[in-house]
């Protein structure tokens, strides 16, 4: 965060405030970890804070300290709206455009609070008065760690906060293997462990609590994988019927898209997942090297994210979506084969 915005935030937080903390829709480990860590910090420093999530999040994240205090906007609508309307400050974490909160966007757009954005995605919009945007950071959780240090409270990180921050960094870096993982990321992780983060236990809670139905769903996904060697590309499709057959629960397809990148020679991996309720196919894009899935998603599938990890959507049916996707690949053949 630049010095001007940091000083402005310090001034804002110099007296007790009512604060709402908002993650993006369908929050992942980084979104939940960062909001919980910030919530602990603000409550411990004398503020009244609440986390309002646009909707539910995966069961494998609900062990994190304070998760039982998170309000679900869909299920606890009046209480959620009250928190937002009464807030002096609204922190938005792990997203940089109000369109990422779904049906909550309208109430946030009309809120009178001072907005503070903490996010590491590309091309931020300008809704926040105070911005901490850094696309080189591994995760929003790492940014929250840095922000707490910049506020002069590095010694205030409790074991509960350390576990939350560790979780977000670990999940957003693919257990520290993605390119955004820097030497400083590892130094942050080391300090979090010194402060009480339980790395082995966190890994177990995130990755080793699968249900049989989720593993069967993974088997279905891998069976559906299509490999296009000419374009160094692999994609997976998942219909709503397949999700229903294997008793899909929120978060069950997390990480499935990455299996394509484990294939020798594959640089671009995609998963298309039907959401019949919303009438769309949700799309996750992953890449290795210089091929920007952020640019690809923004240009063709109403999405965006990072250079090597992005999301998008299609309003067409599966056949039309796949036809569109595969028809685009020749335009990127040189990039994918370089």
């Amino acid at each position: 965060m630049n010095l001007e915005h940091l000083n402005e935030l310090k001034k804002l937080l110099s007296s007790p405030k009512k604060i709402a903390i908002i993650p993006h829709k369908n929050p992942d480990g980084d979104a939940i970890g960062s909001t919980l860590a910030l919530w602990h910090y603000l409550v411990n420093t004398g503020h009244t804070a609440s986390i309002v999530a646009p909707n539910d999040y995966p069961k494998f994240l609900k062990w994190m300290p304070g998760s039982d205090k998170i309000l679900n906007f869909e299920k606890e609508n009046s209480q959620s709206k009250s928190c937002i309307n009464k807030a002096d400050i609204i922190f938005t974490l792990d997203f940089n455009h109000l369109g990422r909160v779904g049906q909550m966007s309208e109430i946030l757009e009309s809120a009178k609070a001072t907005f503070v954005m903490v996010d590491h995605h590309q091309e931020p919009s300008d809704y926040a008065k105070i911005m901490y945007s850094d696309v080189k950071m591994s995760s929003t959780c790492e940014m929250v760690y840095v922000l707490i240090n910049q506020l002069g409270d590095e010694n205030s990180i409790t074991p509960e906060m350390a576990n939350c921050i560790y979780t977000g960094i670990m999940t957003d870096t693919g257990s520290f293997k993605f390119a955004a993982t820097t030497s400083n990321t590892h130094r942050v992780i080391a300090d979090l462990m010194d402060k009480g983060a339980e790395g082995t236990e966190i890994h177990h809670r995130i990755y080793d609590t699968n249900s049989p139905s989720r593993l069967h769903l993974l088997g279905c996904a891998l069976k559906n994988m299509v490999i296009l060697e000419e374009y160094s590309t692999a994609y997976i499709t998942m219909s709503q019927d397949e999700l229903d057959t294997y008793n899909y629960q929120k978060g069950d397809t997390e990480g499935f898209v990455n299996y394509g990148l484990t294939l020798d020679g594959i640089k671009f991996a995609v998963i298309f997942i039907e959401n019949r309720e919303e009438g769309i196919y949700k799309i996750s894009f992953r890449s290795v090297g210089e091929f920007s899935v952020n640019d690809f998603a923004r240009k063709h599938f109403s999405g965006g994210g990072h250079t090597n990890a992005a999301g998008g959507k299609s309003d067409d049916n599966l056949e039309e979506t796949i036809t569109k996707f595969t028809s685009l690949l020749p335009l990127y053949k040189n990039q994918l084969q370089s």
Side-chain angles (χ1 to χ4, degrees):
M1 182 177 286
N2 67 43
L3 187 59
E4 179 185 352
H5 282 195
L6 179 61
N7 287 334
E8 194 166 355
L9 181 59
K10 285 182 177 179
K11 185 177 179 180
L12 269 179
L13 297 176
S14 63
S15 60
K17 296 291 193 301
K18 294 179 180 177
I19 300 172
I21 308 169
I22 315 294
H24 55 74
K25 185 179 179 181
N26 300 319
D28 56 8
D30 192 26
I32 294 298
S34 59
T35 53
L36 281 171
L38 182 63
W39 175 79
H40 282 288
Y41 169 73
L42 292 171
V43 170
N44 291 345
T45 50
H47 302 281
T48 301
S50 299
I51 300 171
V52 182
N55 59 349
D56 202 5
Y57 57 97
K59 182 179 178 181
F60 60 76
L61 297 173
K62 293 185 177 180
W63 59 269
M64 281 194 280
S67 61
D68 58 321
K69 301 293 194 298
I70 296 176
L71 295 173
N72 181 331
F73 186 81
E74 287 184 343
K75 296 180 178 180
E76 300 161 292
N77 190 259
S78 59
Q79 191 177 353
S80 298
K81 286 181 176 179
S82 177
C83 287
I84 293 170
N85 287 330
K86 292 178 180 179
D88 303 306
I89 306 170
I90 295 176
F91 279 87
T92 64
L93 270 60
D94 204 36
F95 68 95
N96 58 22
H97 191 285
L98 293 182
R100 291 285 281 115
V101 295
Q103 61 180 331
M104 280 178 60
S105 60
E106 186 175 344
I107 188 170
L108 288 179
E109 287 167 358
S110 63
K112 304 302 182 184
T114 300
F115 278 79
V116 181
M117 176 201 298
V118 182
D119 179 66
H120 66 134
H121 296 89
Q122 298 179 13
E123 302 182 41
S125 57
D126 60 357
Y127 64 85
K129 183 178 181 181
I130 298 174
M131 290 179 59
Y132 180 20
S133 175
D134 190 343
V135 299
K136 295 181 180 179
M137 281 284 188
S138 72
S139 56
T140 301
C141 270
E142 185 173 345
M143 297 178 73
V144 168
Y145 171 92
V146 171
L147 179 60
I148 291 171
N149 276 260
Q150 289 179 336
L151 291 170
D153 289 325
E154 60 270 20
N155 293 324
S156 70
I157 296 178
T158 63
E160 291 79 13
M161 294 164 64
N163 277 323
C164 293
I165 297 171
Y166 187 111
T167 300
I169 296 175
M170 183 187 76
T171 54
D172 236 39
T173 60
S175 294
F176 317 110
K177 73 177 182 181
F178 295 159
T181 308
T182 65
S183 59
N184 193 61
T185 304
H186 286 291
R187 280 187 280 271
V188 170
I189 287 295
D191 187 51
L192 291 171
M193 293 180 74
D194 289 342
K195 287 179 164 62
E198 301 172 299
T200 301
E201 180 63 20
I202 292 170
H203 193 284
H204 168 73
R205 288 177 177 270
I206 298 295
Y207 298 118
D208 300 335
T209 56
N210 289 311
S211 64
S213 60
R214 182 180 187 268
L215 293 185
H216 292 147
L217 183 66
L218 173 60
C220 177
L222 296 178
K223 185 177 180 180
N224 291 349
M225 183 183 289
V226 176
I227 301 168
L228 303 173
E229 292 185 8
E230 183 180 5
Y231 303 109
S232 303
T233 295
Y235 70 84
I236 292 170
T237 61
M238 301 233 68
S239 70
Q240 186 68 60
D241 288 341
E242 288 170 326
L243 298 175
D244 293 343
T245 295
Y246 296 104
N247 191 31
Y248 168 79
Q249 303 296 312
K250 186 174 287 293
D252 276 355
T253 57
E254 188 77 23
F256 283 12
V257 64
N258 296 319
Y259 280 88
L261 294 181
T262 68
L263 293 167
D264 187 29
I266 296 300
K267 295 183 177 180
F268 186 21
V270 187
I271 188 168
F272 302 88
I273 302 174
E274 184 179 10
N275 186 318
R276 193 172 290 158
E277 182 180 354
E278 296 184 24
I280 62 171
Y281 270 85
K282 297 174 66 176
I283 313 172
S284 292
F285 303 95
R286 298 292 185 270
S287 68
V288 293
E290 300 299 318
F291 182 67
S292 175
V293 292
N294 172 63
D295 293 342
F296 187 91
R298 286 183 184 276
K299 188 171 183 180
H300 303 296
F301 289 99
S302 305
H306 306 287
T307 299
N308 298 122
K313 69 181 181 71
S314 171
D315 297 317
D316 298 324
N317 63 35
L318 180 60
E319 183 180 357
E320 293 167 337
T321 299
I322 296 300
T323 297
K324 175 182 177 180
F325 172 70
T326 54
S327 71
L328 293 168
L329 293 177
L331 303 175
Y332 296 91
K333 185 173 182 179
N334 291 338
Q335 294 182 50
L336 291 168
Q337 290 188 336
S338 62

